[in-house]
Amino acid sequence: MLNHTMIGSNDIERSKRFYDAVLATLGAGEPIRNTAGSGHQRLFYRHDGSTFGVSEPINDEPATAANGSTVGFKCTSPEQVRAFHDVAVAHGGTSVEEAPGVRATNAGPVHLAYMRDPDGNKLCAIYRG
């Protein structure tokens, strides 16, 4: 359904360091760097048919985290959920909500971890076994 997801960053190099490390746990490589027509820097991580972008806001306003928004990353195992979380925290992210682990849902148990990136964007690592 989705082609891509893009979030804003107030420090594109800090975001690159963070997402290079975190998305490597999923198998993503180096991002494609792009300069928008406005001169703003953007990073595009492509992996497994998905694109995740990080951009300096092209309206020159500060990037802010959307209240109520979460970007979910599909993991292949409970161990990958934990690695995603732990690498995120080790690279300037913040663990939020419950500790990483199994949660009961209407669709059955899932392994989840929630964190915020250095700009405050909420991320979720999820594995549905």
Side-chain angles (χ1 to χ4, degrees), residues 3-6 12 23 28-36 41-47 50-55:
N3 180 68
H4 69 279
T5 299
M6 183 174 292
I12 200 77
L23 297 181
E30 282 287 311
I32 296 168
R33 279 191 178 264
N34 174 268
T35 302
Q41 296 298 301
R42 302 184 293 192
L43 306 170
F44 293 101
Y45 293 88
R46 294 190 174 141
H47 177 65
S50 296
T51 301
F52 178 73
V54 182
S55 179

mmCIF file with all atom_site columns, all heavy atoms in Angstrom, residues 3-6 12 23 28-36 41-47 50-55:
data_model
loop_
_atom_site.group_PDB
_atom_site.id
_atom_site.type_symbol
_atom_site.label_atom_id
_atom_site.label_alt_id
_atom_site.label_comp_id
_atom_site.label_asym_id
_atom_site.label_entity_id
_atom_site.label_seq_id
_atom_site.pdbx_PDB_ins_code
_atom_site.Cartn_x
_atom_site.Cartn_y
_atom_site.Cartn_z
_atom_site.occupancy
_atom_site.B_iso_or_equiv
_atom_site.pdbx_formal_charge
_atom_site.auth_seq_id
_atom_site.auth_comp_id
_atom_site.auth_asym_id
_atom_site.auth_atom_id
_atom_site.pdbx_PDB_model_num
ATOM 1   N N   . ASN A 1 3  ? 4.337  3.503  -0.572 1.00 0.00 ? 3  ASN A N   1
ATOM 2   C CA  . ASN A 1 3  ? 5.546  3.582  -1.383 1.00 0.00 ? 3  ASN A CA  1
ATOM 3   C C   . ASN A 1 3  ? 6.745  3.941  -0.514 1.00 0.00 ? 3  ASN A C   1
ATOM 4   O O   . ASN A 1 3  ? 7.813  3.365  -0.648 1.00 0.00 ? 3  ASN A O   1
ATOM 5   C CB  . ASN A 1 3  ? 5.368  4.626  -2.485 1.00 0.00 ? 3  ASN A CB  1
ATOM 6   C CG  . ASN A 1 3  ? 6.586  4.740  -3.356 1.00 0.00 ? 3  ASN A CG  1
ATOM 7   O OD1 . ASN A 1 3  ? 6.889  3.814  -4.090 1.00 0.00 ? 3  ASN A OD1 1
ATOM 8   N ND2 . ASN A 1 3  ? 7.289  5.853  -3.262 1.00 0.00 ? 3  ASN A ND2 1
ATOM 9   N N   . HIS A 1 4  ? 6.539  4.926  0.370  1.00 0.00 ? 4  HIS A N   1
ATOM 10  C CA  . HIS A 1 4  ? 7.637  5.356  1.234  1.00 0.00 ? 4  HIS A CA  1
ATOM 11  C C   . HIS A 1 4  ? 7.087  6.073  2.462  1.00 0.00 ? 4  HIS A C   1
ATOM 12  O O   . HIS A 1 4  ? 5.926  6.457  2.496  1.00 0.00 ? 4  HIS A O   1
ATOM 13  C CB  . HIS A 1 4  ? 8.606  6.274  0.485  1.00 0.00 ? 4  HIS A CB  1
ATOM 14  C CG  . HIS A 1 4  ? 8.029  7.607  0.162  1.00 0.00 ? 4  HIS A CG  1
ATOM 15  N ND1 . HIS A 1 4  ? 7.196  7.823  -0.907 1.00 0.00 ? 4  HIS A ND1 1
ATOM 16  C CD2 . HIS A 1 4  ? 8.165  8.810  0.782  1.00 0.00 ? 4  HIS A CD2 1
ATOM 17  C CE1 . HIS A 1 4  ? 6.845  9.092  -0.949 1.00 0.00 ? 4  HIS A CE1 1
ATOM 18  N NE2 . HIS A 1 4  ? 7.408  9.715  0.072  1.00 0.00 ? 4  HIS A NE2 1
ATOM 19  N N   . THR A 1 5  ? 7.950  6.221  3.418  1.00 0.00 ? 5  THR A N   1
ATOM 20  C CA  . THR A 1 5  ? 7.691  7.027  4.611  1.00 0.00 ? 5  THR A CA  1
ATOM 21  C C   . THR A 1 5  ? 8.864  7.973  4.753  1.00 0.00 ? 5  THR A C   1
ATOM 22  O O   . THR A 1 5  ? 10.015 7.571  4.563  1.00 0.00 ? 5  THR A O   1
ATOM 23  C CB  . THR A 1 5  ? 7.598  6.137  5.870  1.00 0.00 ? 5  THR A CB  1
ATOM 24  O OG1 . THR A 1 5  ? 6.525  5.219  5.698  1.00 0.00 ? 5  THR A OG1 1
ATOM 25  C CG2 . THR A 1 5  ? 7.377  6.960  7.112  1.00 0.00 ? 5  THR A CG2 1
ATOM 26  N N   . MET A 1 6  ? 8.575  9.240  5.071  1.00 0.00 ? 6  MET A N   1
ATOM 27  C CA  . MET A 1 6  ? 9.656  10.209 5.278  1.00 0.00 ? 6  MET A CA  1
ATOM 28  C C   . MET A 1 6  ? 9.400  10.949 6.585  1.00 0.00 ? 6  MET A C   1
ATOM 29  O O   . MET A 1 6  ? 8.271  11.304 6.891  1.00 0.00 ? 6  MET A O   1
ATOM 30  C CB  . MET A 1 6  ? 9.745  11.212 4.130  1.00 0.00 ? 6  MET A CB  1
ATOM 31  C CG  . MET A 1 6  ? 10.918 12.168 4.310  1.00 0.00 ? 6  MET A CG  1
ATOM 32  S SD  . MET A 1 6  ? 11.181 13.275 2.911  1.00 0.00 ? 6  MET A SD  1
ATOM 33  C CE  . MET A 1 6  ? 11.705 12.136 1.653  1.00 0.00 ? 6  MET A CE  1
ATOM 34  N N   . ILE A 1 12 ? 20.767 16.314 10.007 1.00 0.00 ? 12 ILE A N   1
ATOM 35  C CA  . ILE A 1 12 ? 20.784 15.210 9.044  1.00 0.00 ? 12 ILE A CA  1
ATOM 36  C C   . ILE A 1 12 ? 21.970 14.269 9.260  1.00 0.00 ? 12 ILE A C   1
ATOM 37  O O   . ILE A 1 12 ? 21.843 13.062 9.083  1.00 0.00 ? 12 ILE A O   1
ATOM 38  C CB  . ILE A 1 12 ? 20.709 15.742 7.589  1.00 0.00 ? 12 ILE A CB  1
ATOM 39  C CG1 . ILE A 1 12 ? 20.226 14.645 6.624  1.00 0.00 ? 12 ILE A CG1 1
ATOM 40  C CG2 . ILE A 1 12 ? 22.021 16.326 7.149  1.00 0.00 ? 12 ILE A CG2 1
ATOM 41  C CD1 . ILE A 1 12 ? 18.764 14.375 6.668  1.00 0.00 ? 12 ILE A CD1 1
ATOM 42  N N   . LEU A 1 23 ? 19.082 0.765  10.972 1.00 0.00 ? 23 LEU A N   1
ATOM 43  C CA  . LEU A 1 23 ? 18.531 0.059  9.819  1.00 0.00 ? 23 LEU A CA  1
ATOM 44  C C   . LEU A 1 23 ? 19.452 -1.053 9.323  1.00 0.00 ? 23 LEU A C   1
ATOM 45  O O   . LEU A 1 23 ? 18.995 -1.980 8.643  1.00 0.00 ? 23 LEU A O   1
ATOM 46  C CB  . LEU A 1 23 ? 18.181 1.046  8.714  1.00 0.00 ? 23 LEU A CB  1
ATOM 47  C CG  . LEU A 1 23 ? 17.091 2.052  9.099  1.00 0.00 ? 23 LEU A CG  1
ATOM 48  C CD1 . LEU A 1 23 ? 16.788 2.992  7.944  1.00 0.00 ? 23 LEU A CD1 1
ATOM 49  C CD2 . LEU A 1 23 ? 15.828 1.357  9.586  1.00 0.00 ? 23 LEU A CD2 1
ATOM 50  N N   . ALA A 1 28 ? 19.479 -3.136 5.814  1.00 0.00 ? 28 ALA A N   1
ATOM 51  C CA  . ALA A 1 28 ? 19.556 -1.971 4.914  1.00 0.00 ? 28 ALA A CA  1
ATOM 52  C C   . ALA A 1 28 ? 20.989 -1.461 4.852  1.00 0.00 ? 28 ALA A C   1
ATOM 53  O O   . ALA A 1 28 ? 21.705 -1.471 5.853  1.00 0.00 ? 28 ALA A O   1
ATOM 54  C CB  . ALA A 1 28 ? 18.632 -0.855 5.400  1.00 0.00 ? 28 ALA A CB  1
ATOM 55  N N   . GLY A 1 29 ? 21.389 -1.024 3.680  1.00 0.00 ? 29 GLY A N   1
ATOM 56  C CA  . GLY A 1 29 ? 22.728 -0.486 3.494  1.00 0.00 ? 29 GLY A CA  1
ATOM 57  C C   . GLY A 1 29 ? 22.739 1.024  3.569  1.00 0.00 ? 29 GLY A C   1
ATOM 58  O O   . GLY A 1 29 ? 21.827 1.653  4.115  1.00 0.00 ? 29 GLY A O   1
ATOM 59  N N   . GLU A 1 30 ? 23.764 1.604  2.998  1.00 0.00 ? 30 GLU A N   1
ATOM 60  C CA  . GLU A 1 30 ? 23.919 3.058  2.974  1.00 0.00 ? 30 GLU A CA  1
ATOM 61  C C   . GLU A 1 30 ? 22.732 3.713  2.266  1.00 0.00 ? 30 GLU A C   1
ATOM 62  O O   . GLU A 1 30 ? 22.229 3.181  1.277  1.00 0.00 ? 30 GLU A O   1
ATOM 63  C CB  . GLU A 1 30 ? 25.197 3.438  2.229  1.00 0.00 ? 30 GLU A CB  1
ATOM 64  C CG  . GLU A 1 30 ? 26.462 3.270  3.032  1.00 0.00 ? 30 GLU A CG  1
ATOM 65  C CD  . GLU A 1 30 ? 26.607 4.344  4.093  1.00 0.00 ? 30 GLU A CD  1
ATOM 66  O OE1 . GLU A 1 30 ? 26.447 5.548  3.784  1.00 0.00 ? 30 GLU A OE1 1
ATOM 67  O OE2 . GLU A 1 30 ? 26.887 3.972  5.238  1.00 0.00 ? 30 GLU A OE2 1
ATOM 68  N N   . PRO A 1 31 ? 22.328 4.878  2.741  1.00 0.00 ? 31 PRO A N   1
ATOM 69  C CA  . PRO A 1 31 ? 21.232 5.572  2.075  1.00 0.00 ? 31 PRO A CA  1
ATOM 70  C C   . PRO A 1 31 ? 21.706 6.248  0.788  1.00 0.00 ? 31 PRO A C   1
ATOM 71  O O   . PRO A 1 31 ? 22.896 6.495  0.604  1.00 0.00 ? 31 PRO A O   1
ATOM 72  C CB  . PRO A 1 31 ? 20.821 6.621  3.100  1.00 0.00 ? 31 PRO A CB  1
ATOM 73  C CG  . PRO A 1 31 ? 22.099 6.949  3.800  1.00 0.00 ? 31 PRO A CG  1
ATOM 74  C CD  . PRO A 1 31 ? 22.828 5.622  3.895  1.00 0.00 ? 31 PRO A CD  1
ATOM 75  N N   . ILE A 1 32 ? 20.757 6.537  -0.057 1.00 0.00 ? 32 ILE A N   1
ATOM 76  C CA  . ILE A 1 32 ? 21.011 7.388  -1.214 1.00 0.00 ? 32 ILE A CA  1
ATOM 77  C C   . ILE A 1 32 ? 20.869 8.823  -0.718 1.00 0.00 ? 32 ILE A C   1
ATOM 78  O O   . ILE A 1 32 ? 19.853 9.179  -0.132 1.00 0.00 ? 32 ILE A O   1
ATOM 79  C CB  . ILE A 1 32 ? 20.002 7.107  -2.337 1.00 0.00 ? 32 ILE A CB  1
ATOM 80  C CG1 . ILE A 1 32 ? 20.174 5.680  -2.828 1.00 0.00 ? 32 ILE A CG1 1
ATOM 81  C CG2 . ILE A 1 32 ? 20.140 8.122  -3.466 1.00 0.00 ? 32 ILE A CG2 1
ATOM 82  C CD1 . ILE A 1 32 ? 19.050 5.197  -3.723 1.00 0.00 ? 32 ILE A CD1 1
ATOM 83  N N   . ARG A 1 33 ? 21.922 9.615  -0.916 1.00 0.00 ? 33 ARG A N   1
ATOM 84  C CA  . ARG A 1 33 ? 21.857 11.033 -0.537 1.00 0.00 ? 33 ARG A CA  1
ATOM 85  C C   . ARG A 1 33 ? 21.261 11.805 -1.692 1.00 0.00 ? 33 ARG A C   1
ATOM 86  O O   . ARG A 1 33 ? 21.563 11.548 -2.845 1.00 0.00 ? 33 ARG A O   1
ATOM 87  C CB  . ARG A 1 33 ? 23.240 11.586 -0.235 1.00 0.00 ? 33 ARG A CB  1
ATOM 88  C CG  . ARG A 1 33 ? 23.733 11.264 1.132  1.00 0.00 ? 33 ARG A CG  1
ATOM 89  C CD  . ARG A 1 33 ? 24.994 12.103 1.408  1.00 0.00 ? 33 ARG A CD  1
ATOM 90  N NE  . ARG A 1 33 ? 25.472 11.865 2.723  1.00 0.00 ? 33 ARG A NE  1
ATOM 91  C CZ  . ARG A 1 33 ? 25.184 12.625 3.785  1.00 0.00 ? 33 ARG A CZ  1
ATOM 92  N NH1 . ARG A 1 33 ? 24.423 13.677 3.651  1.00 0.00 ? 33 ARG A NH1 1
ATOM 93  N NH2 . ARG A 1 33 ? 25.680 12.331 4.960  1.00 0.00 ? 33 ARG A NH2 1
ATOM 94  N N   . ASN A 1 34 ? 20.423 12.768 -1.342 1.00 0.00 ? 34 ASN A N   1
ATOM 95  C CA  . ASN A 1 34 ? 19.764 13.574 -2.349 1.00 0.00 ? 34 ASN A CA  1
ATOM 96  C C   . ASN A 1 34 ? 19.707 15.007 -1.856 1.00 0.00 ? 34 ASN A C   1
ATOM 97  O O   . ASN A 1 34 ? 19.471 15.243 -0.677 1.00 0.00 ? 34 ASN A O   1
ATOM 98  C CB  . ASN A 1 34 ? 18.347 13.028 -2.588 1.00 0.00 ? 34 ASN A CB  1
ATOM 99  C CG  . ASN A 1 34 ? 17.539 13.897 -3.505 1.00 0.00 ? 34 ASN A CG  1
ATOM 100 O OD1 . ASN A 1 34 ? 16.831 14.782 -3.061 1.00 0.00 ? 34 ASN A OD1 1
ATOM 101 N ND2 . ASN A 1 34 ? 17.637 13.625 -4.793 1.00 0.00 ? 34 ASN A ND2 1
ATOM 102 N N   . THR A 1 35 ? 19.935 15.929 -2.767 1.00 0.00 ? 35 THR A N   1
ATOM 103 C CA  . THR A 1 35 ? 19.754 17.339 -2.454 1.00 0.00 ? 35 THR A CA  1
ATOM 104 C C   . THR A 1 35 ? 18.496 17.801 -3.175 1.00 0.00 ? 35 THR A C   1
ATOM 105 O O   . THR A 1 35 ? 18.413 17.719 -4.407 1.00 0.00 ? 35 THR A O   1
ATOM 106 C CB  . THR A 1 35 ? 20.961 18.182 -2.905 1.00 0.00 ? 35 THR A CB  1
ATOM 107 O OG1 . THR A 1 35 ? 22.136 17.667 -2.266 1.00 0.00 ? 35 THR A OG1 1
ATOM 108 C CG2 . THR A 1 35 ? 20.785 19.648 -2.540 1.00 0.00 ? 35 THR A CG2 1
ATOM 109 N N   . ALA A 1 36 ? 17.514 18.230 -2.416 1.00 0.00 ? 36 ALA A N   1
ATOM 110 C CA  . ALA A 1 36 ? 16.264 18.730 -2.996 1.00 0.00 ? 36 ALA A CA  1
ATOM 111 C C   . ALA A 1 36 ? 16.559 19.992 -3.801 1.00 0.00 ? 36 ALA A C   1
ATOM 112 O O   . ALA A 1 36 ? 17.592 20.644 -3.609 1.00 0.00 ? 36 ALA A O   1
ATOM 113 C CB  . ALA A 1 36 ? 15.258 19.020 -1.887 1.00 0.00 ? 36 ALA A CB  1
ATOM 114 N N   . GLN A 1 41 ? 19.008 18.663 2.387  1.00 0.00 ? 41 GLN A N   1
ATOM 115 C CA  . GLN A 1 41 ? 19.555 17.310 2.288  1.00 0.00 ? 41 GLN A CA  1
ATOM 116 C C   . GLN A 1 41 ? 18.511 16.274 2.679  1.00 0.00 ? 41 GLN A C   1
ATOM 117 O O   . GLN A 1 41 ? 17.744 16.471 3.629  1.00 0.00 ? 41 GLN A O   1
ATOM 118 C CB  . GLN A 1 41 ? 20.783 17.164 3.182  1.00 0.00 ? 41 GLN A CB  1
ATOM 119 C CG  . GLN A 1 41 ? 21.934 18.052 2.762  1.00 0.00 ? 41 GLN A CG  1
ATOM 120 C CD  . GLN A 1 41 ? 22.410 17.683 1.364  1.00 0.00 ? 41 GLN A CD  1
ATOM 121 O OE1 . GLN A 1 41 ? 22.809 16.548 1.105  1.00 0.00 ? 41 GLN A OE1 1
ATOM 122 N NE2 . GLN A 1 41 ? 22.351 18.648 0.454  1.00 0.00 ? 41 GLN A NE2 1
ATOM 123 N N   . ARG A 1 42 ? 18.529 15.147 1.945  1.00 0.00 ? 42 ARG A N   1
ATOM 124 C CA  . ARG A 1 42 ? 17.629 14.038 2.237  1.00 0.00 ? 42 ARG A CA  1
ATOM 125 C C   . ARG A 1 42 ? 18.400 12.726 2.123  1.00 0.00 ? 42 ARG A C   1
ATOM 126 O O   . ARG A 1 42 ? 19.373 12.630 1.367  1.00 0.00 ? 42 ARG A O   1
ATOM 127 C CB  . ARG A 1 42 ? 16.460 14.021 1.247  1.00 0.00 ? 42 ARG A CB  1
ATOM 128 C CG  . ARG A 1 42 ? 15.675 15.307 1.278  1.00 0.00 ? 42 ARG A CG  1
ATOM 129 C CD  . ARG A 1 42 ? 14.470 15.283 0.401  1.00 0.00 ? 42 ARG A CD  1
ATOM 130 N NE  . ARG A 1 42 ? 14.820 15.227 -1.013 1.00 0.00 ? 42 ARG A NE  1
ATOM 131 C CZ  . ARG A 1 42 ? 13.947 15.434 -1.998 1.00 0.00 ? 42 ARG A CZ  1
ATOM 132 N NH1 . ARG A 1 42 ? 12.691 15.685 -1.735 1.00 0.00 ? 42 ARG A NH1 1
ATOM 133 N NH2 . ARG A 1 42 ? 14.325 15.359 -3.252 1.00 0.00 ? 42 ARG A NH2 1
ATOM 134 N N   . LEU A 1 43 ? 17.958 11.753 2.885  1.00 0.00 ? 43 LEU A N   1
ATOM 135 C CA  . LEU A 1 43 ? 18.530 10.403 2.863  1.00 0.00 ? 43 LEU A CA  1
ATOM 136 C C   . LEU A 1 43 ? 17.414 9.428  2.538  1.00 0.00 ? 43 LEU A C   1
ATOM 137 O O   . LEU A 1 43 ? 16.331 9.504  3.118  1.00 0.00 ? 43 LEU A O   1
ATOM 138 C CB  . LEU A 1 43 ? 19.116 10.042 4.234  1.00 0.00 ? 43 LEU A CB  1
ATOM 139 C CG  . LEU A 1 43 ? 20.133 11.001 4.840  1.00 0.00 ? 43 LEU A CG  1
ATOM 140 C CD1 . LEU A 1 43 ? 20.418 10.626 6.294  1.00 0.00 ? 43 LEU A CD1 1
ATOM 141 C CD2 . LEU A 1 43 ? 21.411 10.987 4.021  1.00 0.00 ? 43 LEU A CD2 1
ATOM 142 N N   . PHE A 1 44 ? 17.678 8.500  1.611  1.00 0.00 ? 44 PHE A N   1
ATOM 143 C CA  . PHE A 1 44 ? 16.690 7.483  1.261  1.00 0.00 ? 44 PHE A CA  1
ATOM 144 C C   . PHE A 1 44 ? 17.305 6.104  1.474  1.00 0.00 ? 44 PHE A C   1
ATOM 145 O O   . PHE A 1 44 ? 18.259 5.731  0.793  1.00 0.00 ? 44 PHE A O   1
ATOM 146 C CB  . PHE A 1 44 ? 16.236 7.641  -0.194 1.00 0.00 ? 44 PHE A CB  1
ATOM 147 C CG  . PHE A 1 44 ? 15.451 8.896  -0.430 1.00 0.00 ? 44 PHE A CG  1
ATOM 148 C CD1 . PHE A 1 44 ? 16.061 10.002 -1.001 1.00 0.00 ? 44 PHE A CD1 1
ATOM 149 C CD2 . PHE A 1 44 ? 14.111 8.971  -0.074 1.00 0.00 ? 44 PHE A CD2 1
ATOM 150 C CE1 . PHE A 1 44 ? 15.348 11.170 -1.218 1.00 0.00 ? 44 PHE A CE1 1
ATOM 151 C CE2 . PHE A 1 44 ? 13.390 10.141 -0.293 1.00 0.00 ? 44 PHE A CE2 1
ATOM 152 C CZ  . PHE A 1 44 ? 14.001 11.235 -0.861 1.00 0.00 ? 44 PHE A CZ  1
ATOM 153 N N   . TYR A 1 45 ? 16.753 5.387  2.440  1.00 0.00 ? 45 TYR A N   1
ATOM 154 C CA  . TYR A 1 45 ? 17.172 4.012  2.717  1.00 0.00 ? 45 TYR A CA  1
ATOM 155 C C   . TYR A 1 45 ? 16.193 3.098  1.985  1.00 0.00 ? 45 TYR A C   1
ATOM 156 O O   . TYR A 1 45 ? 14.988 3.186  2.188  1.00 0.00 ? 45 TYR A O   1
ATOM 157 C CB  . TYR A 1 45 ? 17.111 3.716  4.220  1.00 0.00 ? 45 TYR A CB  1
ATOM 158 C CG  . TYR A 1 45 ? 18.114 4.498  5.019  1.00 0.00 ? 45 TYR A CG  1
ATOM 159 C CD1 . TYR A 1 45 ? 17.810 5.775  5.501  1.00 0.00 ? 45 TYR A CD1 1
ATOM 160 C CD2 . TYR A 1 45 ? 19.366 3.967  5.318  1.00 0.00 ? 45 TYR A CD2 1
ATOM 161 C CE1 . TYR A 1 45 ? 18.734 6.498  6.246  1.00 0.00 ? 45 TYR A CE1 1
ATOM 162 C CE2 . TYR A 1 45 ? 20.289 4.677  6.066  1.00 0.00 ? 45 TYR A CE2 1
ATOM 163 C CZ  . TYR A 1 45 ? 19.964 5.947  6.524  1.00 0.00 ? 45 TYR A CZ  1
ATOM 164 O OH  . TYR A 1 45 ? 20.872 6.655  7.265  1.00 0.00 ? 45 TYR A OH  1
ATOM 165 N N   . ARG A 1 46 ? 16.723 2.207  1.156  1.00 0.00 ? 46 ARG A N   1
ATOM 166 C CA  . ARG A 1 46 ? 15.878 1.279  0.411  1.00 0.00 ? 46 ARG A CA  1
ATOM 167 C C   . ARG A 1 46 ? 16.245 -0.140 0.813  1.00 0.00 ? 46 ARG A C   1
ATOM 168 O O   . ARG A 1 46 ? 17.422 -0.508 0.849  1.00 0.00 ? 46 ARG A O   1
ATOM 169 C CB  . ARG A 1 46 ? 16.061 1.488  -1.084 1.00 0.00 ? 46 ARG A CB  1
ATOM 170 C CG  . ARG A 1 46 ? 15.555 2.847  -1.502 1.00 0.00 ? 46 ARG A CG  1
ATOM 171 C CD  . ARG A 1 46 ? 15.504 2.994  -2.987 1.00 0.00 ? 46 ARG A CD  1
ATOM 172 N NE  . ARG A 1 46 ? 14.859 4.282  -3.295 1.00 0.00 ? 46 ARG A NE  1
ATOM 173 C CZ  . ARG A 1 46 ? 15.249 5.075  -4.259 1.00 0.00 ? 46 ARG A CZ  1
ATOM 174 N NH1 . ARG A 1 46 ? 16.249 4.728  -5.039 1.00 0.00 ? 46 ARG A NH1 1
ATOM 175 N NH2 . ARG A 1 46 ? 14.629 6.211  -4.474 1.00 0.00 ? 46 ARG A NH2 1
ATOM 176 N N   . HIS A 1 47 ? 15.194 -0.920 1.096  1.00 0.00 ? 47 HIS A N   1
ATOM 177 C CA  . HIS A 1 47 ? 15.420 -2.316 1.499  1.00 0.00 ? 47 HIS A CA  1
ATOM 178 C C   . HIS A 1 47 ? 14.124 -3.097 1.364  1.00 0.00 ? 47 HIS A C   1
ATOM 179 O O   . HIS A 1 47 ? 13.057 -2.623 1.775  1.00 0.00 ? 47 HIS A O   1
ATOM 180 C CB  . HIS A 1 47 ? 15.907 -2.365 2.948  1.00 0.00 ? 47 HIS A CB  1
ATOM 181 C CG  . HIS A 1 47 ? 16.102 -3.754 3.465  1.00 0.00 ? 47 HIS A CG  1
ATOM 182 N ND1 . HIS A 1 47 ? 17.044 -4.612 2.956  1.00 0.00 ? 47 HIS A ND1 1
ATOM 183 C CD2 . HIS A 1 47 ? 15.463 -4.434 4.429  1.00 0.00 ? 47 HIS A CD2 1
ATOM 184 C CE1 . HIS A 1 47 ? 16.981 -5.752 3.600  1.00 0.00 ? 47 HIS A CE1 1
ATOM 185 N NE2 . HIS A 1 47 ? 16.024 -5.673 4.495  1.00 0.00 ? 47 HIS A NE2 1
ATOM 186 N N   . SER A 1 50 ? 10.897 -1.451 0.237  1.00 0.00 ? 50 SER A N   1
ATOM 187 C CA  . SER A 1 50 ? 10.420 -0.266 0.958  1.00 0.00 ? 50 SER A CA  1
ATOM 188 C C   . SER A 1 50 ? 11.457 0.841  0.919  1.00 0.00 ? 50 SER A C   1
ATOM 189 O O   . SER A 1 50 ? 12.652 0.592  0.786  1.00 0.00 ? 50 SER A O   1
ATOM 190 C CB  . SER A 1 50 ? 10.139 -0.604 2.426  1.00 0.00 ? 50 SER A CB  1
ATOM 191 O OG  . SER A 1 50 ? 9.105  -1.545 2.529  1.00 0.00 ? 50 SER A OG  1
ATOM 192 N N   . THR A 1 51 ? 10.982 2.069  1.058  1.00 0.00 ? 51 THR A N   1
ATOM 193 C CA  . THR A 1 51 ? 11.873 3.224  1.151  1.00 0.00 ? 51 THR A CA  1
ATOM 194 C C   . THR A 1 51 ? 11.529 4.005  2.406  1.00 0.00 ? 51 THR A C   1
ATOM 195 O O   . THR A 1 51 ? 10.359 4.295  2.673  1.00 0.00 ? 51 THR A O   1
ATOM 196 C CB  . THR A 1 51 ? 11.725 4.142  -0.080 1.00 0.00 ? 51 THR A CB  1
ATOM 197 O OG1 . THR A 1 51 ? 12.029 3.394  -1.255 1.00 0.00 ? 51 THR A OG1 1
ATOM 198 C CG2 . THR A 1 51 ? 12.655 5.344  0.013  1.00 0.00 ? 51 THR A CG2 1
ATOM 199 N N   . PHE A 1 52 ? 12.561 4.336  3.169  1.00 0.00 ? 52 PHE A N   1
ATOM 200 C CA  . PHE A 1 52 ? 12.429 5.166  4.365  1.00 0.00 ? 52 PHE A CA  1
ATOM 201 C C   . PHE A 1 52 ? 13.296 6.390  4.155  1.00 0.00 ? 52 PHE A C   1
ATOM 202 O O   . PHE A 1 52 ? 14.492 6.276  3.890  1.00 0.00 ? 52 PHE A O   1
ATOM 203 C CB  . PHE A 1 52 ? 12.891 4.390  5.605  1.00 0.00 ? 52 PHE A CB  1
ATOM 204 C CG  . PHE A 1 52 ? 12.841 5.194  6.865  1.00 0.00 ? 52 PHE A CG  1
ATOM 205 C CD1 . PHE A 1 52 ? 11.625 5.501  7.458  1.00 0.00 ? 52 PHE A CD1 1
ATOM 206 C CD2 . PHE A 1 52 ? 14.000 5.645  7.452  1.00 0.00 ? 52 PHE A CD2 1
ATOM 207 C CE1 . PHE A 1 52 ? 11.571 6.259  8.620  1.00 0.00 ? 52 PHE A CE1 1
ATOM 208 C CE2 . PHE A 1 52 ? 13.966 6.393  8.615  1.00 0.00 ? 52 PHE A CE2 1
ATOM 209 C CZ  . PHE A 1 52 ? 12.742 6.701  9.201  1.00 0.00 ? 52 PHE A CZ  1
ATOM 210 N N   . GLY A 1 53 ? 12.697 7.572  4.232  1.00 0.00 ? 53 GLY A N   1
ATOM 211 C CA  . GLY A 1 53 ? 13.425 8.805  3.987  1.00 0.00 ? 53 GLY A CA  1
ATOM 212 C C   . GLY A 1 53 ? 13.551 9.668  5.231  1.00 0.00 ? 53 GLY A C   1
ATOM 213 O O   . GLY A 1 53 ? 12.691 9.652  6.112  1.00 0.00 ? 53 GLY A O   1
ATOM 214 N N   . VAL A 1 54 ? 14.643 10.400 5.285  1.00 0.00 ? 54 VAL A N   1
ATOM 215 C CA  . VAL A 1 54 ? 14.901 11.382 6.340  1.00 0.00 ? 54 VAL A CA  1
ATOM 216 C C   . VAL A 1 54 ? 15.268 12.672 5.626  1.00 0.00 ? 54 VAL A C   1
ATOM 217 O O   . VAL A 1 54 ? 16.122 12.664 4.729  1.00 0.00 ? 54 VAL A O   1
ATOM 218 C CB  . VAL A 1 54 ? 16.056 10.944 7.266  1.00 0.00 ? 54 VAL A CB  1
ATOM 219 C CG1 . VAL A 1 54 ? 16.266 11.949 8.384  1.00 0.00 ? 54 VAL A CG1 1
ATOM 220 C CG2 . VAL A 1 54 ? 15.809 9.548  7.829  1.00 0.00 ? 54 VAL A CG2 1
ATOM 221 N N   . SER A 1 55 ? 14.630 13.771 6.007  1.00 0.00 ? 55 SER A N   1
ATOM 222 C CA  . SER A 1 55 ? 14.839 15.022 5.278  1.00 0.00 ? 55 SER A CA  1
ATOM 223 C C   . SER A 1 55 ? 14.929 16.223 6.206  1.00 0.00 ? 55 SER A C   1
ATOM 224 O O   . SER A 1 55 ? 14.251 16.281 7.234  1.00 0.00 ? 55 SER A O   1
ATOM 225 C CB  . SER A 1 55 ? 13.655 15.242 4.318  1.00 0.00 ? 55 SER A CB  1
ATOM 226 O OG  . SER A 1 55 ? 13.799 16.445 3.595  1.00 0.00 ? 55 SER A OG  1
#
